[in-house]
C-alpha cells in the first residue's frame, strides 16, 4: 500500500472565442452590398446577413424587413424567433405567402335575418 500523495489535477484554461467586431450602423459600401448581393442569395435570414456582411443582429433584422418591404426578397416563414426569406423571382409577385390572412365576412345573427325577411 503506497501512501503517496496524489497529484493535484491541473485545469486547462478554457478556450475563449474571439469577440466579433460587427458594425452597428451601415457604411456606404455595406449598404450598397446589401441591395446588390443579398437579393441573389437563396436563403436570407438575419443570421446569414450577420455572418456575411459583418453587421450586428438588430441591424440585420431591420435590413431584412427593408428588403422585404421593397419587394426584393420574399418571405418563406416568419415566426417570432426567426424569419426566413428567399430571393423574389420575376414571375411571382412580392406578396409573401406565409403572412397572408384570409378575412371572413361576419356571420349574421338570427334576429338580423328575420328583420331582412320582414322587409321584403
Amino acid at each position: 500500500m503506497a501512501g503517496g500523495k496524489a497529484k493535484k489535477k491541473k485545469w486547462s484554461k478554457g478556450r475563449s472565442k474571439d469577440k466579433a467586431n460587427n458594425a452597428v450602423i451601415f457604411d456606404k459600401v455595406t449598404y450598397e452590398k446589401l441591395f446588390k448581393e443579398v437579393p441573389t442569395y437563396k436563403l436570407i435570414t438575419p443570421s446569414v446577413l450577420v455572418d456575411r456582411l459583418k453587421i450586428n443582429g438588430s441591424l440585420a433584422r431591420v435590413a431584412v424587413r427593408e428588403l422585404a418591404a421593397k419587394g426584393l426578397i420574399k418571405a418563406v416563414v416568419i415566426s417570432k424567433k426567426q424569419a426566413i426569406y428567399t430571393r423574389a423571382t420575376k414571375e411571382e409577385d412580392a406578396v409573401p405567402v406565409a403572412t397572408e390572412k384570409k378575412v371572413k365576412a361576419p356571420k349574421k345573427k338570427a334576429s338580423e335575418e328575420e328583420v331582412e325577411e320582414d322587409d321584403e
Side-chain angles (χ1 to χ4, degrees):
M1 291 192 193
K5 200 171 184 182
K7 285 188 176 180
K8 203 171 191 181
K9 184 174 181 183
K10 293 183 180 178
W11 291 93
S12 62
K13 292 179 178 143
R15 297 189 182 265
S16 61
K17 186 179 177 186
D18 293 332
K19 186 170 177 4
N21 194 12
N22 292 338
V24 292
I25 58 171
F26 279 116
D27 57 343
K28 192 173 184 179
V29 175
T30 311
Y31 195 71
E32 288 172 357
K33 191 175 182 182
L34 173 74
F35 286 100
K36 202 175 218 179
E37 292 181 16
V38 173
T40 63
Y41 297 166
K42 189 158 182 138
L43 173 72
I44 304 163
T45 64
S47 308
V48 169
L49 295 186
V50 166
D51 195 39
R52 294 187 187 177
L53 299 179
K54 302 296 181 212
I55 57 177
N56 74 354
S58 59
L59 192 61
R61 286 193 302 272
V62 172
V64 165
R65 277 188 236 125
E66 186 177 342
L67 288 169
K70 291 188 176 188
L72 297 173
I73 60 176
K74 184 181 78 165
V76 177
V77 176
I78 299 175
S79 70
K80 189 167 136 182
K81 296 182 179 180
Q82 183 76 26
I84 301 172
Y85 294 83
T86 189
R87 57 185 170 222
T89 55
K90 299 223 177 353
E91 61 268 356
E92 295 176 3
D93 292 330
V95 177
V97 177
T99 58
E100 286 184 12
K101 292 183 179 179
K102 295 180 181 176
V103 179
K104 293 182 179 178
K107 294 182 179 179
K108 293 183 180 179
K109 295 179 182 174
S111 60
E112 291 177 2
E113 290 176 1
E114 290 174 7
V115 172
E116 287 180 7
E117 290 175 3
D118 292 341
D119 291 341
E120 292 176 1

